[in-house]
Amino acid sequence: MKKPIQMLLFKEAWPLAEKIAEYLQTNHQVEQIAVCGAVRRRVEVIHAIELVIASKHTSVLNFAQTMPGIYRVRQQNKDSLKAELNVGISLNLYVVQPHSFFSALYFYTATDRHNEQISELAKAQGLSYGPQGLLTQEGQAITLASEEEFCRQLALEYIPPELREGRGEVALAVAGKLPALVTAADIVGGLHVHTSYSDGGDSINQLSTAARLLGWSYLGISDHSQSAHYAGGLKTAAILQQRREIDLLNSQNPDFTILSGIESDIKPDGSLDYSDDILAQFDFVIASVHSAFKQDEGTMTKRIIKAMNNPYVSILGHMTGRMLLKRPGYQVNIPEVLAAAAQTGTMIEINANPRRLDLDWRWHSLAKEQGILFTINPDAHAAAELSYMNYGLNVARKGGLTAEDIANTRPIEELRALLQRKR
C-alpha cells in the first residue's frame, strides 16, 4: 500500500475541499456548509481539510462517511467526524446548529492562538466563545447573519480569514488599524515570466495576449541567463533577438507594454551572469540563486547581499530557494538580507509559484517595517501559469500587505521608475 503523503499544497487542497463541500451539500439536511481551517486561511501547505456544516441533524455525518475518497474514519461523535482521505491528509467535519453557523465558521477558520485572544475579548463583554459560537452568560447562542456581524458584536474591525493566525491582528482590529489587504483588482501587471526563448512553453505574443485577457496593462519577460544551461539560458545573440521581438510587439500594441527583463543567476561568489553593460540594457533585472545551494549561511547571505548591491538588480527572486514538499530552502540570514534590500532599494519577490511562495508570508511584516517594496511574480513558464498570481496574492494578504506595498499595482511609468531607481 502506498504510504499517505500527509500534506498537500494549497493549490491541490483548495479544489479538493470545494469538491467535498459540493458533495455534502447534496444532502437535504445540510443548510449551509463552508470550508474552514488552514485551507480558508490560505496556508501554503495543508495537513487537514476542514468544513463546518449547519444542520439540525447530526446524522448528516453518517452520510459523510459514504463519500468517495475516504480511506478510513478515525473518530466520530454526535457533532464531528475525523477521517483520513485516500490522498493521505485528514478530513475534519464539524456540525453546528444553523443559528451558530457564522460564529462557528469564524472559530473553525482561526488558529488556536487567535481564538484564545477572541475568547478574552468575549469574556470582557460577559460572553463566552467556543466551537458552538458566541454565547450569552445564560448559555444562549447569539444568532449572527455573517462573520462581519460577529466582529461587530465584539467591537472589532472585520478580520479577513487569511489574517486569523494570532500574530497581532486582533490588537490591530481592536484599534481599528487593520491593513486594507491587496486584492486581485489591484494588480495591473506581472513580472518574472519565462518564454520559449529559455525554458518556457509559450511565445512572448501568447503570453502577452493572455496577460491582456487578465486585464493587465504590462508584462515583464525575464528568461533565464546564460549560465542556466539546464533552462536554455540566453546568450547575447538571443537577448538581442528577443528585444527586437518585444519592440515589434510593443509597436503593434500601444495600449499594452512588454518589458524586457532577465532572471540573472547569482553566481557562487555573488557576481551576476552578465557584465554591467549587458545588464544596463534590460528594463529590469531579477537576481536569483539557482546553484551552490549547500553554501553555509554566512557565505550564502554575503553572496546574495553582494548581488543586491549591483545597481542594475531591481528585484531579488525567490529569496530562500525553497520548493514546498520537495526541498527546504538553502541556509540564509533573512533579516540581514532584508536589511540590505532596504539599504540598496532592492525589491523583494513574492514568487507565486504554488511550490515556492517565497518570500514566506511570515517575514513580510519585517520587510514592510523597513519600507521594502514587493513584487508578486507568477514565475510563469506558460500562459496558463499567469494565474499563479492568485497564490502570490494569498500569501501577500497573509503577510498583511496592501496595494501600496506591491510595486506591480502601479501604472507602467511609475513601475519603470521603481525598477530602475538604483541606476
Side-chain angles (χ1 to χ4, degrees):
M1 183 183 296
K2 186 177 179 182
K3 185 179 179 181
I5 57 174
Q6 298 181 323
M7 288 182 286
L8 290 178
L9 297 175
F10 171 81
K11 175 181 182 287
E12 301 159 339
W14 175 258
L16 179 57
E18 291 283 274
K19 189 174 182 179
I20 292 170
E22 288 174 13
Y23 178 87
L24 296 175
Q25 186 75 66
T26 62
N27 187 296
H28 70 277
Q29 295 179 335
V30 174
E31 296 190 23
Q32 286 181 283
I33 187 168
V35 177
C36 55
V39 174
R40 189 160 181 248
R41 296 198 314 277
R42 272 54 173 187
V43 178
E44 62 275 20
V45 173
I46 302 299
H47 297 77
I49 288 174
E50 300 182 88
L51 297 98
V52 60
I53 301 166
S55 178
K56 296 172 184 173
H57 308 278
T58 55
S59 58
V60 70
L61 294 175
N62 297 328
F63 170 74
Q65 285 198 42
T66 69
M67 184 179 67
I70 289 184
Y71 174 62
R72 63 180 174 184
V73 174
R74 294 201 307 265
Q75 179 185 341
Q76 181 179 345
N77 58 35
K78 65 181 180 65
D79 55 11
S80 69
L81 179 145
K82 297 182 185 299
E84 185 178 320
L85 296 171
N86 288 337
V87 294
I89 66 170
S90 296
L91 171 67
N92 299 333
L93 305 178
Y94 311 104
V95 178
V96 299
Q97 290 298 309
H99 59 254
S100 297
F101 178 72
F102 287 105
S103 50
L105 174 60
Y106 191 99
F107 179 89
Y108 284 117
T109 295
T111 64
D112 289 345
R113 185 162 55 175
H114 179 97
N115 278 334
E116 287 166 7
Q117 295 169 18
I118 294 294
S119 183
E120 288 301 312
L121 286 177
K123 191 182 298 183
Q125 297 183 32
L127 305 173
S128 62
Y129 167 68
Q132 295 302 316
L134 204 57
L135 307 177
T136 66
Q137 283 182 329
E138 294 74 31
Q140 295 296 312
I142 298 174
T143 301
L144 301 165
S146 66
E147 288 182 307
E148 287 82 357
E149 190 176 339
F150 170 85
C151 287
R152 286 196 296 272
Q153 181 74 35
L154 294 174
L156 290 170
E157 271 191 299
Y158 174 68
I159 303 176
E162 298 96 321
L163 292 182
R164 298 176 200 170
E165 295 282 345
R167 294 169 58 89
E169 69 280 355
V170 174
L172 289 174
V174 169
K177 294 183 178 179
L178 279 175
L181 301 181
V182 62
T183 69
D186 295 318
I187 300 296
V188 293
L191 308 173
H192 199 159
V193 173
H194 298 275
T195 76
S196 52
Y197 274 88
S198 64
D199 62 343
D202 289 326
S203 67
I204 299 173
N205 188 44
Q206 288 171 313
L207 286 154
S208 61
T209 299
R212 288 198 297 273
L213 289 173
L214 291 173
W216 294 356
S217 59
Y218 51 80
L219 186 69
I221 302 300
S222 56
D223 278 304
H224 285 285
S225 57
Q226 57 189 346
S227 67
H229 306 295
Y230 58 89
L234 274 59
K235 303 291 186 184
T236 304
I239 291 171
L240 295 175
Q241 180 185 347
Q242 184 180 81
R243 191 166 297 129
R244 285 193 293 270
E245 183 176 346
I246 289 172
D247 288 344
L248 176 62
L249 288 169
N250 279 332
S251 68
Q252 294 171 345
N253 299 283
D255 60 333
F256 185 87
T257 301
I258 303 171
L259 296 168
S260 172
I262 197 77
E263 184 180 17
S264 182
D265 273 23
I266 302 175
K267 295 180 180 180
D269 67 353
S271 62
L272 296 179
D273 205 13
Y274 299 109
S275 61
D276 281 358
D277 62 324
I278 297 293
L279 294 174
Q281 297 172 32
F282 292 104
D283 292 320
F284 69 99
V285 175
I286 299 172
S288 303
V289 170
H290 289 112
S291 63
F293 290 169
K294 293 184 179 179
Q295 288 182 330
D296 63 75
E297 181 181 293
T299 302
M300 182 64 78
T301 302
K302 289 177 183 176
R303 171 186 180 182
I304 292 173
I305 290 174
K306 178 179 176 181
M308 288 194 298
N309 273 286
N310 185 297
Y312 299 105
V313 171
S314 316
I315 302 164
L316 176 64
H318 46 71
M319 185 190 294
T320 73
R322 74 180 187 181
M323 295 290 281
L324 294 167
L325 303 184
K326 278 194 170 183
R327 71 172 186 231
Y330 37 73
Q331 297 298 305
V332 61
N333 188 311
I334 294 175
E336 281 190 29
V337 172
L338 291 177
Q343 183 181 12
T344 60
T346 306
M347 289 182 272
I348 297 296
E349 174 180 79
I350 299 172
N351 189 295
N353 182 304
R355 202 169 281 280
R356 288 190 183 275
L357 303 179
D358 183 12
L359 184 63
D360 188 289
W361 58 270
R362 297 163 184 84
W363 292 103
H364 293 182
S365 60
L366 179 61
K368 181 173 178 171
E369 288 166 8
Q370 298 176 70
I372 294 170
L373 272 178
F374 292 85
T375 59
I376 305 177
N377 293 337
D379 197 355
H381 288 71
E385 293 179 0
L386 294 179
S387 65
Y388 283 175
M389 188 69 80
N390 292 322
Y391 303 116
L393 275 164
N394 287 341
V395 296
R397 288 172 61 85
K398 287 193 70 59
L401 301 185
T402 71
E404 287 299 308
D405 301 315
I406 311 296
N408 48 310
T409 63
R410 312 291 212 279
I412 183 61
E413 291 309 320
E414 188 176 343
L415 178 73
R416 280 187 186 277
L418 288 171
L419 291 171
Q420 300 192 8
R421 64 183 176 178
K422 292 170 62 178
R423 302 185 181 188

